Amino acid sequence: MFGQERDWETLSGTVENIIHRNKDDGYTVLELSSGGELYTAVGTELADVQEGEDVTLHGRFVTHANFGEQFRAEACEAHLPDSAAMIRRYLSAGALPYIGRALAGRIVDKFGAKTLEIIATDPQKLTQIKGITPQKANAISREFKRIYGVREAISSLAQYDLPASAAIALFRKYGPDTADIVSQNPFILCDPPVNRDFESADRIAQNMGFLYNDQVRVEAGLLFILRYNMQANGHTCLPRAKLCEVASGYLRVEPETVESTMEDMLVNEDLYLVEFDDKERVFVPEYMRAERYIADHLRRLIHWPAKNKYDVASLTKRAETVQGITYAPLQRTAIAMALGANALVLTGGPGTGKTTAINGMLTAFQQCGDRVALAAPTGRAAKRLSELTGRPAKTIHRLLEVDHSKRDEVRFVHDEHNPLKCDVIVIDEMSMVDVLLFESLLRALRPQCKVIMVGDEDQLPSVGAGNVLGSIIASDVVPTVRLRDIFRQAAQSLIVSNAHRIVLGQPPLPGRRDGDFFLMESDGEACRDLVCDLVCRRLPQYYGFHPLEDIEVLCPSKKGVVGTESLNAALQQRLNPPGPGRAQIAVREKILRVGDKVMQMRNNYDIPFTRPDGGEEGAGAFNGDMGVVVAVDARAGTVTVRSEDRLYVYTPDCVRELEPAYAITIHKSQGSEFGAVVIPVMNTPPMLLYRNLLYTGVTRAKTLCVLVGHKAEVAQMVASARSNKRFSCLSHLLKSGEEGGA
């Protein structure tokens, strides 16, 4: 880990030696000669630097715990070598294709100090050198222009405090005109691949002289407000009046300016509009497309003639024989409707028999020879579905397969042109599926593929935008079966009965000593200490739970004494303190250490993984994936995480996507199930005091649930029937039958 940092400095010199370079992310360790001294410099900004080049580095000297003093480069300006000797050394280092040491000597002997100018402006002269064909000459010139085009972009964009990684990503997208394009519209920095927040792009624009009411600025502000609400609040659209009001205040421009800009964007199809209930909703294109496609696809399925090959009564009877049970009336209805309809929603709370109904459907489909795919939004949910059904299940992402040939945008291998080979798909934990992912899944299905959506409508909606399950149920268009009755065996569990009490607005029962649910009163720092003691001592000692593998702390909030940030620090110190053999690395304000329980915080389709058993390698880590740190390379800045049957290697630019996961938010726990759950409820922010948040946390517990904190606050959550309302048009589009741009 890095020690004390010093002030920002500039270091100029000649690259003497490349010690290490990571081919995946460009992280480089090199030796730099400057003023008669030899310095070690490190960073991803040195990715294209070669031996013999003169460079100016901007960054800080740091003291590394293992390797001593290093210069951590945050920006790099490379200077073209200007003497024949330096050009010879530069080319000899292998900077350009096809040129090795001997050929570099012959080229420089021929062209001298003008060598690089010729490579850039008149590469065909290189064919005068034996061994260089016209094709090779052009390839050499292209690579030279690419390297120095990238460096020019890095140098030009450094004035905006953009890191080299962002400049390189922009250069890939926009090419040699990158700097000019940014100067004409600095708000492109808010878009992929840079994804800067609007405020920082706006500061750059103000420094360039952009006016507040400049149309480029107002357009970018509208898009930012819409996308922020999609990411932070889960909306797929916003009411036009609300958007105009918010944008006018946020951008500090007149409402008329916002309205006129919005009209132009609607005409140019940079925004879309849907009107119903006497209100207009405004969309960005991708969410309009997604909701319309979902609605169109589900309506087509519903109206598609159902197959007549199923003898429902016979198949249901045989499924009962295979499972050795007699189905309840609603379970029998669900199986019959799954066989008879092309689309179905199956919903119900814990203990109502969803798994039994699913297994009955699967048995019936198997008897008919139908090919069935099982999918869930997260790895944990897919694993649980597989365990409950005895059949293989995959995450939706892994089922669709990420197309890694398209590195600048996420695409899937399976789509309309390469559909999945299945006749039926069963999607579990449907409440977690957002509109963009569901659109991608439906696009990958054959036209007559049955879609069976299973989920609990009382749980929280997806982390991503939309409320797909809730909207489909509310439309009353797709056939839906609600399982309501709690089966006798499940009713003996206080976890199950209390979950249903919470849904009904009744406070949970406190539990008995020999039960599976407890409510423990506590306050202040004592509450945090009690949570830690339960995880580290009491539950392992009295119930045999493993503190890392079986127990999870689920918090309503990140902040506060019993928020995830505070509890992760406290639990890390108790369960995995610093010690010999526990390498660690500092990432922003947190420490990641060998042995730590961690979670991936966003979808990243490029993080590579291997399988310890020698199975197929691949790439992709997804929001909510959990694992354990098994290795830390402080010098290279990499962290290796074991998650399920995969080993992921996180490079320095990806490590920040990992968070300690001894305690996670209830939102992040969706789709997971844990042996024991501890939920602190104390000084919860008012906006998080609502029923389905508590319900979601309680239903994550498989064997034991402990609520710790204020009983009055628990009661307040139960009494609050409000849910986090999301603006969406999916239900309306399903009911109205409006055709869209699918």
Side-chain angles (χ1 to χ4, degrees):
M1 101 184 201
F2 288 110
Q4 183 179 4
E5 292 190 356
R6 298 171 225 169
D7 293 335
W8 184 270
E9 295 186 48
T10 297
L11 184 64
S12 297
T14 303
V15 178
E16 295 291 337
N17 183 30
I18 304 293
I19 298 173
H20 165 78
R21 176 164 287 153
N22 186 308
K23 65 179 182 179
D24 295 320
D25 66 356
Y27 183 83
T28 299
V29 180
L30 58 80
E31 290 180 327
L32 185 75
S33 175
S34 177
E37 298 286 336
L38 199 61
Y39 297 91
T40 299
V42 301
T44 56
E45 286 69 21
L46 309 176
D48 282 322
V49 170
Q50 300 293 335
E51 291 179 10
E53 284 190 278
D54 290 332
V55 296
T56 298
L57 307 182
H58 306 279
R60 290 181 174 87
F61 280 102
V62 298
T63 302
H64 194 285
N66 295 327
F67 306 111
E69 186 177 72
Q70 298 179 335
F71 188 84
R72 189 195 297 168
E74 301 292 342
C76 171
E77 299 175 57
H79 312 291
L80 285 172
D82 54 6
S83 69
M86 295 305 293
I87 293 172
R88 184 191 301 270
R89 183 178 178 188
Y90 167 70
L91 294 178
S92 296
L96 299 176
Y98 307 115
I99 300 179
R101 184 178 298 275
L103 190 53
R106 295 205 299 274
I107 294 172
V108 175
D109 287 344
K110 175 73 174 177
F111 301 112
K114 292 187 176 181
T115 295
L116 297 184
E117 180 184 342
I118 287 169
I119 289 175
T121 61
D122 195 5
Q124 288 307 305
K125 283 187 176 179
L126 295 176
T127 59
Q128 298 174 26
I129 308 298
K130 184 178 180 181
I132 299 182
T133 64
Q135 293 78 14
K136 288 182 179 180
N138 286 331
I140 291 167
S141 183
R142 280 197 304 271
E143 179 63 9
F144 179 77
K145 290 176 181 177
R146 183 196 69 80
I147 290 173
Y148 281 93
V150 169
R151 291 178 184 176
E152 182 181 350
I154 292 171
S155 178
S156 298
L157 298 178
Q159 63 183 306
Y160 309 133
D161 294 327
L162 278 179
S165 56
I168 291 169
L170 285 167
F171 186 85
R172 277 200 207 106
K173 184 171 183 177
Y174 297 111
D177 298 326
T178 296
D180 289 339
I181 290 171
V182 172
S183 68
Q184 293 166 19
N185 182 4
F187 296 101
I188 65 170
L189 301 177
C190 299
D191 301 330
V194 178
N195 298 311
R196 275 280 182 103
D197 61 87
F198 181 84
E199 286 83 355
S200 63
D202 200 24
R203 283 193 296 271
I204 294 170
Q206 300 308 312
N207 291 334
M208 290 179 175
F210 279 75
L211 300 176
Y212 270 33
N213 62 354
D214 191 294
Q215 181 155 338
V216 169
R217 179 178 183 270
V218 179
E219 286 182 357
L222 284 166
L223 290 171
F224 170 76
I225 291 167
L226 281 165
R227 291 207 163 97
Y228 175 84
N229 275 277
M230 291 160 194
Q231 294 166 6
N233 300 320
H235 304 309
T236 60
C237 57
L238 286 178
R240 180 171 182 161
K242 181 180 179 68
L243 175 59
C244 183
E245 178 187 354
V246 171
S248 177
Y250 181 74
L251 299 173
R252 289 166 284 172
V253 297
E254 294 298 320
E256 294 78 12
T257 302
V258 175
E259 278 288 358
S260 64
T261 301
M262 194 184 304
E263 279 296 335
D264 289 342
M265 296 178 77
L266 290 168
V267 170
N268 295 329
E269 297 187 341
D270 296 320
L271 296 176
Y272 285 85
L273 203 65
V274 172
E275 183 176 358
F276 67 96
D277 293 341
D278 298 323
K279 289 184 180 178
E280 294 177 319
R281 274 78 170 178
V282 182
F283 286 82
V284 295
E286 62 266 33
Y287 285 93
M288 180 76 269
R289 179 203 66 212
E291 291 208 334
R292 278 185 170 161
Y293 185 86
I294 291 168
D296 292 348
H297 189 100
L298 291 178
R299 279 200 317 274
R300 283 198 299 268
L301 274 181
I302 293 163
H303 295 115
W304 199 288
K307 297 178 182 177
N308 296 316
K309 68 177 182 180
Y310 301 115
D311 181 344
V312 174
S314 174
L315 287 169
T316 304
K317 187 66 178 176
R318 285 161 64 186
E320 286 181 323
T321 302
V322 170
Q323 291 187 264
I325 60 172
T326 300
Y327 298 127
L330 278 176
Q331 290 176 327
R332 187 179 292 272
T333 298
I335 295 168
M337 290 181 68
L339 292 167
N342 290 322
L344 174 70
V345 172
L346 176 64
T347 185
T352 56
K354 291 196 301 294
T355 300
T356 299
I358 293 170
N359 278 323
M361 297 173 191
L362 296 178
T363 301
F365 288 131
Q366 185 177 22
Q367 291 172 15
C368 294
D370 287 322
R371 297 168 297 180
V372 182
L374 299 181
T378 67
R380 282 178 169 266
K383 182 179 180 182
R384 180 166 166 260
L385 179 61
S386 183
E387 291 169 349
L388 292 173
T389 61
R391 294 169 170 86
K394 293 183 178 181
T395 65
I396 297 173
H397 286 94
R398 299 202 194 287
L399 187 69
L400 297 178
E401 299 179 65
V402 177
D403 182 358
H404 288 283
S405 66
K406 307 290 185 183
R407 295 189 64 86
D408 291 332
E409 60 178 302
V410 176
R411 293 189 182 179
F412 294 108
V413 171
H414 295 287
D415 56 16
E416 302 99 319
H417 309 293
N418 181 26
L420 294 163
K421 294 179 173 63
C422 58
D423 306 301
V424 182
I425 186 163
V426 178
I427 309 136
D428 197 15
E429 296 289 353
M430 188 67 197
S431 63
M432 295 181 63
V433 180
D434 63 71
V435 291
L436 295 183
L437 184 58
F438 196 46
E439 177 205 12
S440 294
L441 178 59
L442 293 182
R443 286 185 183 275
L445 300 180
R446 295 166 187 252
Q448 288 179 277
C449 179
K450 283 180 180 284
V451 178
I452 298 174
M453 296 160 278
V454 183
D456 185 343
E457 61 182 316
D458 293 312
Q459 284 189 27
L460 294 169
S462 57
V463 174
N467 183 6
V468 176
L469 180 63
S471 295
I472 292 172
I473 293 173
S475 74
D476 203 26
V477 170
V478 178
T480 299
V481 178
R482 288 181 173 87
L483 301 178
R484 303 183 188 278
D485 299 328
I486 306 174
F487 286 86
R488 185 172 59 188
Q489 184 177 356
Q492 296 172 3
S493 164
L494 204 54
I495 294 173
V496 172
S497 57
N498 273 339
H500 287 270
R501 286 179 64 86
I502 291 168
V503 167
L504 296 172
Q506 301 168 358
L509 300 173
R512 305 180 306 273
R513 176 178 290 272
D514 59 346
D516 62 359
F517 187 100
F518 298 97
L519 182 54
M520 305 174 72
E521 187 85 18
S522 187
D523 187 51
E525 293 188 359
C527 184
R528 179 193 61 201
D529 295 341
L530 176 55
V531 170
C532 291
D533 195 44
L534 284 165
V535 173
C536 302
R537 186 181 66 85
R538 293 197 199 183
L539 299 187
Q541 182 175 328
Y542 292 107
Y543 294 91
F545 290 120
H546 190 284
L548 292 183
E549 296 175 6
D550 302 322
I551 305 171
E552 191 60 55
V553 179
L554 305 182
C555 305
S557 174
K558 295 180 180 180
K559 304 295 183 181
V561 176
V562 289
T564 57
E565 293 175 0
S566 172
L567 283 168
N568 270 317
L571 288 166
Q572 183 188 49
Q573 186 60 33
R574 286 193 59 171
L575 292 172
N576 192 36
R582 293 180 185 169
Q584 64 183 42
I585 189 171
V587 183
R588 291 182 178 172
E589 297 178 355
K590 61 181 179 283
I591 296 291
L592 295 180
R593 184 177 296 134
V594 170
D596 275 340
K597 187 177 185 179
V598 293
M599 174 179 275
Q600 171 72 14
M601 302 307 289
R602 60 179 290 269
N603 290 340
N604 187 320
Y605 302 91
D606 296 323
I607 298 176
F609 66 79
T610 58
R611 299 182 192 272
D613 61 3
E616 184 179 357
E617 299 180 358
F622 303 104
N623 193 352
D625 284 355
M626 296 178 73
V628 176
V629 176
V630 295
V632 170
D633 186 334
R635 181 174 187 179
T638 61
V639 173
T640 303
V641 174
R642 185 184 71 249
S643 179
E644 302 292 346
D645 62 342
R646 297 175 173 86
L647 284 176
Y648 290 90
V649 178
Y650 284 76
T651 53
D653 58 325
C654 296
V655 168
R656 67 189 63 184
E657 297 172 9
L658 287 173
E659 293 280 355
Y662 301 98
I664 61 176
T665 63
I666 294 174
H667 281 88
K668 285 291 187 181
S669 74
Q670 289 174 264
S672 298
E673 188 178 64
F674 308 96
V677 161
V678 180
I679 305 176
V681 183
M682 186 199 76
N683 298 336
T684 305
M687 68 180 67
L688 296 173
L689 288 172
Y690 56 92
R691 185 182 299 168
N692 66 346
L693 184 71
L694 181 63
Y695 172 80
T696 300
V698 168
T699 54
R700 300 307 90 205
K702 182 178 182 180
T703 306
L704 180 68
C705 180
V706 185
L707 300 187
V708 181
H710 297 165
K711 291 182 181 179
E713 204 165 292
V714 172
Q716 189 178 352
M717 293 185 79
V718 172
S720 175
R722 78 166 184 86
S723 59
N724 37 356
K725 175 177 172 58
R726 294 188 167 186
F727 292 113
S728 165
C729 290
L730 179 56
S731 183
H732 161 74
L733 292 169
L734 278 162
K735 287 187 288 188
S736 69
E738 288 183 15
E739 291 296 327

